Amino acid sequence: MRTGVVVKAAGGFYYVRSETGGTCACVLRGRLRRQGRPVLVGDAVEYTATGAQSGVIETVLPRRSKLVRPPVANVDRAVLVFAVREPHPDPALIDRLLIQAGAAGVSPMLCLNKADLGTEKTAGLISIYRAAGYPVLVTSAKTGAGLDALQEILRAGVSVFAGPSGTGKSSLLNALEPGLALKTQAVSAKIGRGRHTTRHAELLPLTGGGLVVDTPGFSSLVLPPLERAELASFFPEFLADVPDCRFAGCLHAKEPGCAVKRAVKGGKISRLRYESYLKFLDEITEQEKRKYD
Ligand code: GDP
Ligand code: ZN
């Protein structure tokens, strides 16, 4: 039995890429079809070859993560692309995407692109997110700055790009690998035709190693369904202080003796991040209210 990753699904076939880089058009073993549990792009599978380029999927291995939009399993990292300016980065949106990635089980990193336009104004943001524990890369698709580092990060596993439009996601892909952005745009253009057509994402191999999802992730800005108590776990820089809060169930909002608030006052935790936290806490409370109304 061989193992590989489903890189594309179309017309009842699952295209499985083996570790050596060859691709095999596979069908599902009847037992798997009858189970009715969908096989996703990104799933790691065991398959038997029935020909040079054909095979049968026997087993779907356990998933490490699952992205809903686009539907892809086992995405290892989300590259959140923002621009140092044009458009100006919105920290609240960065925080929202960090939570969406975290909730999907995908490790997020920040890529601040358009460094050629000047990084003076983003130095503060860069240090906030580095201090929070996220990798931050500063790049320019235009000059090539930072692209070696980005390629190095993408080499292992499966990556999805996300972020507002106009920040340079396709330019970055194209700078890393000419022609790749074209493939991703061809797919995005197809979505535009009918919002309700089901679309299957595809994983594209990078010459330097690694796979990239052909569609940007997280098109919805609605927070994933979270419990209020879970929210702090998406703010890694809070975690060292949480055990020192006076109350065990502290939500770090209005409670007295809150160690997180103390750390914000002392400048150890960024006020900007804490404000995002409070805003999201309100949103989750509203979501819960609507649920029980
Ligand atoms: P996407 O919507 O995130 O895919 O963004 P695009 O790749 O389409 O880029 C949006 C605009 O920003 C285009 O006009 C690009 O030429 C420009 N752009 C992309 N990367 C850079 C960069 O590193 N520096 C500068 N100055 N412009 C860039
Ligand atoms: Zn607290």
Side-chain angles (χ1 to χ4, degrees):
M1 203 110 78
R2 306 178 187 189
T3 56
V5 171
V6 176
V7 292
K8 177 181 169 180
F13 286 100
Y14 296 85
Y15 296 84
V16 178
R17 190 178 159 87
S18 72
E19 272 139 25
T20 53
T23 303
C24 208
C26 295
V27 292
L28 294 185
R29 181 63 74 202
R31 175 175 41 78
L32 277 180
R33 262 200 323 272
R34 283 190 297 275
Q35 279 171 0
R37 201 153 40 92
V39 176
L40 291 182
V41 165
D43 268 326
V45 297
E46 291 176 331
Y47 65 103
T48 16
T50 51
Q53 288 176 343
S54 60
V56 180
I57 295 179
E58 307 285 354
T59 331
V60 179
L61 300 173
R63 285 180 188 147
R64 302 188 300 277
S65 69
K66 187 180 157 194
L67 215 66
V68 176
R69 223 185 293 201
V72 182
N74 301 327
V75 176
D76 295 291
R77 85 181 57 75
V79 182
L80 309 182
V81 182
F82 284 79
V84 297
R85 44 184 283 206
E86 298 176 29
H88 228 80
D90 170 9
L93 182 57
I94 296 178
D95 293 335
R96 204 174 277 277
L97 292 180
L98 287 172
I99 293 175
Q100 292 193 334
V106 173
S107 346
M109 61 164 288
L110 208 55
C111 176
L112 286 169
N113 188 41
K114 307 199 187 183
D116 55 284
L117 299 179
T119 53
E120 312 80 34
K121 287 197 175 144
T122 30
L125 270 191
I126 295 172
S127 60
I128 287 174
Y129 288 98
R130 286 205 176 131
Y134 296 105
V136 181
L137 215 57
V138 181
T139 61
S140 167
K142 196 168 172 183
T143 66
L147 293 188
D148 285 348
L150 180 58
Q151 187 166 37
E152 195 53 40
I153 290 170
L154 300 179
R155 264 169 71 101
V158 179
S159 307
V160 68
F161 279 58
S165 69
T167 55
K169 292 180 294 299
S170 20
S171 304
L172 283 169
L173 285 174
N174 217 24
L176 286 176
E177 186 135 351
L180 194 65
L182 258 181
K183 285 186 202 157
T184 61
Q185 272 159 17
V187 175
S188 313
K190 270 188 235 152
I191 323 174
R193 273 213 303 259
R195 236 175 307 154
H196 302 292
T197 40
T198 333
R199 221 195 50 76
H200 299 284
E202 194 175 327
L203 301 182
L204 304 171
L206 297 167
T207 313
L211 294 163
V212 56
V213 182
D214 69 353
T215 319
F218 320 114
S219 46
S220 158
L221 294 181
V222 179
L223 287 182
L226 291 176
E227 302 283 335
R228 284 188 293 171
E230 281 177 286
L231 185 60
S233 67
F234 295 101
F235 288 76
E237 73 272 45
F238 291 10
L239 298 184
D241 290 292
V242 169
D244 297 329
C245 292
R246 188 179 304 161
F247 299 107
C250 186
L251 293 174
H252 326 300
K254 299 208 171 79
E255 296 88 342
C258 172
V260 171
K261 273 193 284 185
R262 206 153 51 226
V264 174
K265 282 208 187 82
K268 193 175 138 215
I269 289 175
S270 141
R271 186 163 296 277
L272 213 56
R273 289 272 294 165
Y274 180 63
E275 279 165 8
S276 281
Y277 171 83
L278 289 181
K279 187 160 165 268
F280 296 152
L281 194 64
D282 274 350
E283 265 177 54
I284 295 172
T285 310
E286 282 302 310
Q287 273 180 14
E288 282 177 0
K289 266 196 209 141
R290 273 200 298 274
K291 209 163 62 186
Y292 297 115
D293 267 354

Coordinates of all heavy atoms in Angstrom, one line a residue, residues 185-270:
Q185 N -5.8 32.4 -9.9 CA -6.8 33.3 -10.4 C -7.8 32.6 -11.3 O -9.0 32.9 -11.2 CB -6.1 34.4 -11.2 CG -5.7 35.6 -10.3 CD -4.7 36.4 -11.0 OE1 -4.5 36.4 -12.2 NE2 -4.0 37.2 -10.2
A186 N -7.3 31.7 -12.1 CA -8.3 30.9 -13.0 C -9.4 30.3 -12.1 O -10.6 30.4 -12.4 CB -7.6 29.9 -13.7
V187 N -9.0 29.8 -11.0 CA -10.0 29.1 -10.1 C -10.8 30.2 -9.4 O -12.1 30.1 -9.4 CB -9.2 28.3 -9.0 CG1 -10.2 27.7 -8.1 CG2 -8.5 27.2 -9.7
S188 N -10.2 31.3 -8.9 CA -11.0 32.3 -8.3 C -12.1 32.9 -9.2 O -13.2 33.2 -8.8 CB -10.2 33.5 -7.8 OG -9.1 32.9 -7.1
A189 N -11.7 33.1 -10.5 CA -12.6 33.6 -11.5 C -13.8 32.7 -11.6 O -14.9 33.2 -11.8 CB -11.9 33.8 -12.8
K190 N -13.6 31.4 -11.6 CA -14.7 30.5 -11.7 C -15.7 30.7 -10.6 O -16.9 30.6 -10.8 CB -14.2 29.1 -11.7 CG -13.9 28.6 -13.1 CD -13.5 27.1 -13.1 CE -12.2 26.8 -13.7 NZ -11.5 25.7 -13.1
I191 N -15.2 31.0 -9.4 CA -16.1 31.1 -8.2 C -17.0 32.3 -8.5 O -18.2 32.2 -8.2 CB -15.4 31.4 -6.9 CG1 -14.1 30.7 -6.8 CG2 -16.3 31.2 -5.7 CD1 -13.3 31.2 -5.6
G192 N -16.5 33.3 -9.1 CA -17.2 34.6 -9.3 C -18.5 34.4 -10.1 O -19.4 35.1 -10.0
R193 N -18.4 33.3 -11.0 CA -19.6 33.2 -11.9 C -20.9 32.8 -11.2 O -21.9 33.2 -11.6 CB -19.2 32.1 -12.9 CG -18.5 32.6 -14.1 CD -18.9 31.8 -15.3 NE -18.6 30.4 -15.1 CZ -17.6 29.7 -15.6 NH1 -16.7 30.4 -16.3 NH2 -17.4 28.4 -15.4
G194 N -20.8 32.0 -10.1 CA -22.0 31.7 -9.4 C -21.6 31.4 -8.0 O -20.8 30.5 -7.7
R195 N -22.2 32.2 -7.1 CA -21.7 32.1 -5.7 C -22.1 30.7 -5.1 O -21.6 30.3 -4.2 CB -22.3 33.2 -4.9 CG -21.2 34.0 -4.2 CD -21.9 35.2 -3.5 NE -22.7 36.0 -4.4 CZ -23.7 36.7 -4.1 NH1 -24.0 36.8 -2.8 NH2 -24.3 37.5 -4.9
H196 N -23.1 30.1 -5.7 CA -23.6 28.9 -5.1 C -23.1 27.6 -5.7 O -23.4 26.5 -5.2 CB -25.2 28.9 -5.1 CG -25.7 30.1 -4.4 ND1 -25.6 30.3 -3.1 CD2 -26.3 31.2 -4.9 CE1 -26.2 31.4 -2.8 NE2 -26.6 32.0 -3.8
T197 N -22.3 27.7 -6.7 CA -21.7 26.5 -7.3 C -20.7 25.9 -6.3 O -19.9 26.6 -5.7 CB -20.9 26.8 -8.6 OG1 -20.2 28.0 -8.5 CG2 -21.9 26.8 -9.8
T198 N -20.8 24.6 -6.1 CA -19.8 24.0 -5.2 C -18.5 24.0 -5.9 O -18.4 23.8 -7.1 CB -20.2 22.5 -4.9 OG1 -21.6 22.4 -5.1 CG2 -19.8 22.1 -3.6
R199 N -17.5 24.3 -5.1 CA -16.2 24.4 -5.7 C -15.2 23.5 -4.9 O -15.3 23.5 -3.7 CB -15.7 25.8 -5.7 CG -15.1 26.3 -6.9 CD -14.4 27.6 -6.6 NE -13.5 27.4 -5.4 CZ -12.4 26.8 -5.4 NH1 -11.9 26.3 -6.5 NH2 -11.7 26.7 -4.3
H200 N -14.3 22.9 -5.6 CA -13.4 22.1 -4.9 C -12.0 22.8 -5.0 O -11.6 23.2 -6.1 CB -13.2 20.7 -5.6 CG -14.5 19.9 -5.5 ND1 -15.0 19.4 -4.3 CD2 -15.5 19.7 -6.4 CE1 -16.1 18.8 -4.6 NE2 -16.5 19.0 -5.8
A201 N -11.4 22.9 -3.9 CA -10.1 23.6 -3.9 C -9.1 22.6 -4.4 O -9.4 21.4 -4.6 CB -9.7 23.9 -2.4
E202 N -7.9 23.1 -4.7 CA -6.9 22.2 -5.3 C -5.6 22.6 -4.5 O -5.4 23.8 -4.2 CB -6.8 22.5 -6.8 CG -6.0 21.5 -7.5 CD -6.0 21.8 -9.0 OE1 -7.0 22.3 -9.5 OE2 -5.0 21.5 -9.7
L203 N -4.7 21.6 -4.4 CA -3.4 21.9 -3.8 C -2.4 22.0 -4.9 O -2.3 21.1 -5.7 CB -3.0 20.8 -2.8 CG -3.9 20.6 -1.6 CD1 -3.3 19.5 -0.7 CD2 -4.1 21.9 -0.8
L204 N -1.6 23.1 -5.0 CA -0.6 23.2 -6.0 C 0.8 23.0 -5.5 O 1.1 23.6 -4.4 CB -0.7 24.6 -6.6 CG -2.1 25.0 -7.2 CD1 -2.2 26.5 -7.5 CD2 -2.5 24.2 -8.4
P205 N 1.6 22.2 -6.1 CA 2.9 21.9 -5.6 C 3.9 23.1 -6.0 O 3.8 23.7 -7.1 CB 3.4 20.7 -6.4 CG 2.5 20.6 -7.6 CD 1.3 21.4 -7.3
L206 N 4.7 23.5 -5.0 CA 5.7 24.5 -5.3 C 7.0 23.8 -5.7 O 7.4 22.8 -5.1 CB 6.0 25.3 -4.0 CG 4.8 26.1 -3.5 CD1 5.0 26.6 -2.1 CD2 4.5 27.3 -4.4
T207 N 7.7 24.4 -6.6 CA 9.0 23.7 -7.1 C 10.0 23.6 -5.9 O 10.7 22.6 -5.8 CB 9.6 24.5 -8.2 OG1 8.6 24.8 -9.2 CG2 10.7 23.8 -8.9
G208 N 10.0 24.6 -5.1 CA 10.9 24.6 -3.9 C 10.4 23.7 -2.8 O 11.1 23.6 -1.8
G209 N 9.3 23.0 -3.0 CA 8.8 22.1 -2.0 C 7.6 22.7 -1.3 O 7.4 23.9 -1.2
G210 N 6.7 21.8 -0.8 CA 5.4 22.3 -0.2 C 4.3 22.4 -1.1 O 4.5 22.4 -2.3
L211 N 3.1 22.5 -0.6 CA 1.9 22.6 -1.3 C 1.1 23.8 -0.9 O 1.2 24.2 0.3 CB 1.0 21.4 -1.1 CG 1.5 20.0 -1.6 CD1 0.7 18.9 -0.9 CD2 1.4 19.9 -3.1
V212 N 0.5 24.5 -1.8 CA -0.3 25.7 -1.5 C -1.7 25.6 -2.0 O -2.0 25.1 -3.1 CB 0.4 27.0 -1.9 CG1 0.7 27.0 -3.4 CG2 -0.3 28.2 -1.5
V213 N -2.7 25.9 -1.1 CA -4.1 25.9 -1.5 C -4.4 27.0 -2.5 O -3.9 28.1 -2.3 CB -5.0 26.1 -0.2 CG1 -6.5 26.0 -0.6 CG2 -4.7 25.1 0.9
D214 N -5.1 26.6 -3.6 CA -5.2 27.5 -4.7 C -6.2 28.7 -4.5 O -6.4 29.5 -5.3 CB -5.7 26.7 -6.0 CG -7.1 26.2 -5.8 OD1 -7.7 26.3 -4.7 OD2 -7.6 25.7 -6.8
T215 N -6.9 28.7 -3.3 CA -7.9 29.7 -3.1 C -7.6 30.3 -1.7 O -7.2 29.6 -0.8 CB -9.3 29.0 -2.9 OG1 -9.4 28.0 -3.9 CG2 -10.4 30.0 -3.0
P216 N -7.7 31.6 -1.6 CA -7.5 32.2 -0.3 C -8.4 31.7 0.8 O -9.6 31.4 0.4 CB -7.7 33.7 -0.5 CG -7.6 33.9 -2.0 CD -8.0 32.6 -2.6
G217 N -8.0 31.7 2.0 CA -8.8 31.1 3.1 C -9.6 32.2 3.8 O -9.4 33.4 3.6
F218 N -10.6 31.7 4.6 CA -11.4 32.5 5.5 C -12.1 33.7 4.8 O -11.8 34.8 5.2 CB -10.5 33.1 6.7 CG -9.5 32.1 7.2 CD1 -8.2 32.3 7.1 CD2 -10.0 31.0 7.9 CE1 -7.3 31.4 7.6 CE2 -9.1 30.1 8.4 CZ -7.7 30.3 8.2
S219 N -13.0 33.4 3.9 CA -13.6 34.6 3.2 C -14.7 35.2 4.1 O -15.1 36.4 3.9 CB -14.2 34.2 1.9 OG -14.9 33.0 2.1
S220 N -15.1 34.5 5.2 CA -16.1 35.1 6.1 C -15.4 35.7 7.3 O -14.4 35.2 7.7 CB -17.0 34.0 6.6 OG -17.6 34.4 7.8
L221 N -15.9 36.8 7.7 CA -15.3 37.5 8.9 C -16.0 37.2 10.2 O -15.6 37.7 11.2 CB -15.3 39.0 8.6 CG -14.4 39.4 7.4 CD1 -14.4 40.9 7.3 CD2 -13.0 38.9 7.7
V222 N -17.0 36.3 10.1 CA -17.7 35.9 11.3 C -16.8 35.0 12.1 O -16.2 34.1 11.6 CB -19.0 35.2 11.0 CG1 -19.7 34.8 12.2 CG2 -19.9 36.1 10.1
L223 N -16.7 35.3 13.4 CA -15.9 34.4 14.3 C -16.5 33.0 14.3 O -17.7 32.8 14.2 CB -15.9 35.0 15.7 CG -15.1 36.2 16.0 CD1 -15.2 36.6 17.5 CD2 -13.7 36.1 15.6
P224 N -15.6 32.0 14.4 CA -16.1 30.7 14.5 C -16.8 30.5 15.8 O -16.6 31.3 16.7 CB -14.8 29.8 14.5 CG -13.7 30.7 14.9 CD -14.1 32.1 14.5
P225 N -17.8 29.5 15.9 CA -18.5 29.4 17.2 C -17.5 29.0 18.3 O -16.9 28.0 18.3 CB -19.5 28.2 16.9 CG -19.0 27.6 15.6 CD -18.1 28.5 14.9
L226 N -17.4 29.9 19.3 CA -16.5 29.7 20.4 C -17.3 29.9 21.7 O -18.2 30.7 21.7 CB -15.4 30.8 20.3 CG -14.3 30.7 19.3 CD1 -13.4 31.9 19.4 CD2 -13.5 29.4 19.4
E227 N -16.8 29.3 22.7 CA -17.3 29.6 24.1 C -16.5 30.8 24.5 O -15.3 31.0 24.2 CB -17.0 28.5 25.0 CG -17.6 27.1 24.6 CD -19.1 27.1 24.9 OE1 -19.6 27.8 25.8 OE2 -19.8 26.3 24.2
R228 N -17.1 31.7 25.4 CA -16.4 32.9 25.9 C -15.1 32.5 26.6 O -14.1 33.1 26.4 CB -17.3 33.7 26.8 CG -18.3 34.5 26.1 CD -19.0 35.4 27.0 NE -19.8 34.6 28.0 CZ -20.4 35.2 29.0 NH1 -20.3 36.5 29.2 NH2 -21.2 34.5 29.8
A229 N -15.2 31.4 27.3 CA -14.0 30.9 28.1 C -12.8 30.5 27.2 O -11.7 30.4 27.6 CB -14.4 29.8 29.1
E230 N -13.2 30.1 25.9 CA -12.1 29.6 25.0 C -11.3 30.8 24.4 O -10.2 30.6 23.9 CB -12.7 28.9 23.9 CG -13.2 27.5 24.1 CD -13.9 27.0 22.8 OE1 -15.0 27.4 22.5 OE2 -13.2 26.2 22.1
L231 N -11.9 32.0 24.4 CA -11.3 33.1 23.6 C -9.9 33.4 24.0 O -9.0 33.6 23.1 CB -12.2 34.3 23.7 CG -11.8 35.5 22.9 CD1 -11.8 35.1 21.4 CD2 -12.7 36.7 23.1
A232 N -9.6 33.4 25.3 CA -8.2 33.8 25.7 C -7.2 32.8 25.2 O -6.0 33.2 25.0 CB -8.2 33.8 27.3
S233 N -7.6 31.6 24.9 CA -6.6 30.6 24.4 C -6.1 31.0 23.0 O -5.1 30.5 22.5 CB -7.2 29.2 24.4 OG -8.2 29.1 23.4
F234 N -6.8 31.9 22.3 CA -6.3 32.4 21.0 C -5.5 33.7 21.2 O -5.2 34.3 20.2 CB -7.5 32.6 20.1 CG -8.2 31.4 19.8 CD1 -9.4 31.0 20.4 CD2 -7.7 30.5 18.9 CE1 -10.0 29.8 20.2 CE2 -8.3 29.2 18.6 CZ -9.5 28.9 19.3
F235 N -5.2 34.0 22.4 CA -4.3 35.2 22.7 C -3.1 34.6 23.5 O -3.1 34.7 24.7 CB -5.0 36.3 23.4 CG -6.0 37.0 22.6 CD1 -7.3 36.4 22.2 CD2 -5.7 38.3 22.0 CE1 -8.2 37.1 21.4 CE2 -6.6 38.9 21.2 CZ -7.8 38.3 20.9
P236 N -2.2 34.0 22.8 CA -1.1 33.3 23.4 C -0.3 34.1 24.5 O 0.1 33.6 25.5 CB -0.2 32.8 22.3 CG -0.6 33.5 21.1 CD -2.0 33.9 21.3
E237 N -0.3 35.4 24.2 CA 0.5 36.2 25.2 C -0.2 36.5 26.5 O 0.3 37.0 27.4 CB 0.9 37.6 24.5 CG -0.3 38.6 24.3 CD -1.0 38.4 23.0 OE1 -1.3 37.2 22.6 OE2 -1.3 39.4 22.4
F238 N -1.5 36.1 26.6 CA -2.3 36.2 27.8 C -2.0 35.0 28.8 O -2.1 35.1 30.0 CB -3.8 36.2 27.6 CG -4.4 37.4 26.9 CD1 -3.6 38.3 26.3 CD2 -5.8 37.5 26.9 CE1 -4.1 39.4 25.6 CE2 -6.3 38.6 26.2 CZ -5.5 39.6 25.6
L239 N -1.5 33.9 28.2 CA -1.6 32.6 28.9 C -0.7 32.6 30.1 O -1.1 32.0 31.1 CB -1.3 31.5 27.9 CG -2.3 31.4 26.8 CD1 -2.0 30.1 25.9 CD2 -3.7 31.3 27.3
A240 N 0.4 33.3 30.1 CA 1.3 33.3 31.3 C 0.6 33.9 32.5 O 0.9 33.5 33.6 CB 2.6 33.9 30.9
D241 N -0.2 34.9 32.2 CA -0.8 35.6 33.3 C -2.1 35.0 33.8 O -2.5 35.3 35.0 CB -1.0 37.1 32.9 CG 0.3 37.8 32.8 OD1 1.0 38.0 33.8 OD2 0.7 38.1 31.6
V242 N -2.9 34.3 33.0 CA -4.2 33.8 33.3 C -4.2 33.1 34.7 O -5.1 33.3 35.5 CB -4.7 32.9 32.2 CG1 -6.0 32.1 32.6 CG2 -5.1 33.8 31.0
P243 N -3.2 32.2 35.0 CA -3.2 31.5 36.3 C -3.2 32.4 37.5 O -3.6 32.0 38.6 CB -2.0 30.6 36.2 CG -1.6 30.6 34.8 CD -2.0 31.8 34.2
D244 N -2.8 33.7 37.3 CA -2.7 34.6 38.4 C -4.0 35.4 38.6 O -4.0 36.3 39.5 CB -1.5 35.5 38.3 CG -0.2 34.8 38.3 OD1 -0.1 33.7 38.9 OD2 0.8 35.2 37.6
C245 N -5.0 35.2 37.8 CA -6.3 36.0 38.0 C -6.9 35.4 39.3 O -6.8 34.3 39.6 CB -7.2 35.7 36.8 SG -6.7 36.5 35.3
R246 N -7.6 36.4 40.0 CA -8.1 36.0 41.3 C -9.2 34.9 41.1 O -9.3 34.0 41.9 CB -8.8 37.2 42.0 CG -9.2 36.9 43.4 CD -9.8 38.2 44.1 NE -8.9 39.3 44.0 CZ -9.3 40.6 44.2 NH1 -10.5 40.9 44.4 NH2 -8.4 41.6 44.1
F247 N -10.0 35.0 40.1 CA -11.1 34.0 39.9 C -10.7 33.0 38.8 O -10.2 33.4 37.8 CB -12.4 34.7 39.6 CG -12.9 35.6 40.6 CD1 -12.8 37.0 40.5 CD2 -13.3 35.1 41.9 CE1 -13.2 37.9 41.5 CE2 -13.7 36.0 42.9 CZ -13.6 37.4 42.7
A248 N -11.1 31.7 39.1 CA -10.7 30.7 38.1 C -11.4 30.9 36.8 O -10.8 30.7 35.8 CB -11.1 29.3 38.7
G249 N -12.7 31.3 36.8 CA -13.3 31.5 35.5 C -13.2 32.9 34.9 O -14.1 33.3 34.1
C250 N -12.2 33.6 35.3 CA -12.0 35.0 34.9 C -12.1 35.2 33.4 O -11.4 34.4 32.7 CB -10.7 35.6 35.4 SG -10.5 37.3 35.2
L251 N -12.9 36.1 32.9 CA -12.9 36.3 31.4 C -12.1 37.6 31.1 O -12.1 38.0 30.0 CB -14.4 36.5 31.0 CG -15.3 35.3 31.1 CD1 -16.7 35.6 30.7 CD2 -14.8 34.2 30.1
H252 N -11.4 38.1 32.1 CA -10.5 39.2 31.9 C -11.2 40.5 31.3 O -10.6 41.2 30.5 CB -9.3 38.8 30.9 CG -8.9 37.4 31.1 ND1 -8.5 36.9 32.3 CD2 -9.0 36.3 30.3 CE1 -8.3 35.6 32.2 NE2 -8.6 35.2 31.0
A253 N -12.4 40.6 31.8 CA -13.2 41.8 31.3 C -13.4 42.8 32.5 O -12.6 43.7 32.7 CB -14.5 41.4 30.7
K254 N -14.5 42.5 33.3 CA -14.8 43.4 34.4 C -14.4 42.8 35.8 O -14.6 43.4 36.8 CB -16.3 43.7 34.4 CG -16.7 44.3 33.1 CD -17.9 45.2 33.3 CE -18.2 46.1 32.0 NZ -18.9 45.2 31.0
E255 N -13.8 41.6 35.8 CA -13.5 40.9 37.1 C -12.4 41.7 37.8 O -11.5 42.1 37.2 CB -13.1 39.5 36.8 CG -14.1 38.6 36.2 CD -14.1 38.6 34.7 OE1 -13.5 39.6 34.1 OE2 -14.7 37.7 34.0
P256 N -12.6 41.8 39.2 CA -11.5 42.3 40.0 C -10.3 41.3 40.1 O -10.5 40.1 39.9 CB -12.2 42.6 41.3 CG -13.3 41.6 41.4 CD -13.8 41.4 40.0
G257 N -9.2 41.9 40.3 CA -8.0 41.0 40.5 C -7.6 40.3 39.2 O -7.0 39.2 39.3
C258 N -7.8 40.8 38.1 CA -7.5 40.2 36.8 C -6.0 40.4 36.5 O -5.6 41.6 36.3 CB -8.4 40.6 35.7 SG -7.9 40.0 34.1
A259 N -5.3 39.3 36.4 CA -3.8 39.5 36.1 C -3.6 39.9 34.6 O -2.5 40.5 34.3 CB -3.1 38.1 36.4
V260 N -4.5 39.6 33.7 CA -4.3 40.0 32.3 C -4.4 41.5 32.2 O -3.6 42.1 31.6 CB -5.3 39.2 31.4 CG1 -5.3 39.8 30.0 CG2 -5.1 37.7 31.4
K261 N -5.5 42.0 32.9 CA -5.6 43.5 32.9 C -4.4 44.2 33.5 O -4.0 45.2 33.0 CB -6.9 43.9 33.6 CG -8.2 43.9 32.7 CD -9.3 44.6 33.4 CE -9.9 43.7 34.5 NZ -11.2 44.2 35.0
R262 N -3.9 43.6 34.5 CA -2.7 44.1 35.2 C -1.5 44.2 34.2 O -0.8 45.1 34.1 CB -2.4 43.3 36.4 CG -1.6 44.0 37.5 CD -1.9 43.4 38.9 NE -1.6 41.9 38.9 CZ -2.5 41.0 39.5 NH1 -3.6 41.4 40.1 NH2 -2.2 39.8 39.4
A263 N -1.4 43.1 33.4 CA -0.3 43.0 32.5 C -0.5 44.0 31.4 O 0.5 44.5 30.8 CB -0.2 41.6 31.9
V264 N -1.8 44.3 31.0 CA -2.0 45.3 30.0 C -1.6 46.7 30.6 O -0.9 47.5 29.9 CB -3.5 45.4 29.6 CG1 -3.8 46.5 28.6 CG2 -3.9 44.0 28.9
K265 N -2.0 47.0 31.8 CA -1.7 48.3 32.4 C -0.2 48.4 32.5 O 0.4 49.5 32.3 CB -2.3 48.4 33.8 CG -3.8 48.7 33.8 CD -4.2 49.5 35.1 CE -5.7 49.6 35.1 NZ -6.4 48.4 35.6
G266 N 0.5 47.3 32.8 CA 2.0 47.4 33.0 C 2.7 47.4 31.7 O 4.0 47.5 31.7
G267 N 2.0 47.3 30.6 CA 2.6 47.4 29.3 C 3.2 46.0 28.8 O 3.9 46.0 27.7
K268 N 2.9 45.0 29.5 CA 3.5 43.7 29.1 C 2.6 43.0 28.0 O 3.2 42.3 27.2 CB 3.5 42.8 30.4 CG 4.3 41.5 30.3 CD 4.3 40.8 31.6 CE 4.2 39.3 31.3 NZ 3.4 38.6 32.4
I269 N 1.3 43.3 28.1 CA 0.4 42.9 27.0 C 0.0 44.1 26.2 O -0.4 45.1 26.8 CB -0.8 42.1 27.6 CG1 -0.3 40.8 28.2 CG2 -1.9 41.9 26.5 CD1 -1.4 40.0 28.9
S270 N -0.1 44.0 24.9 CA -0.4 45.1 24.1 C -1.9 45.5 24.3 O -2.8 44.7 24.3 CB -0.2 44.8 22.6 OG -1.2 45.3 21.8

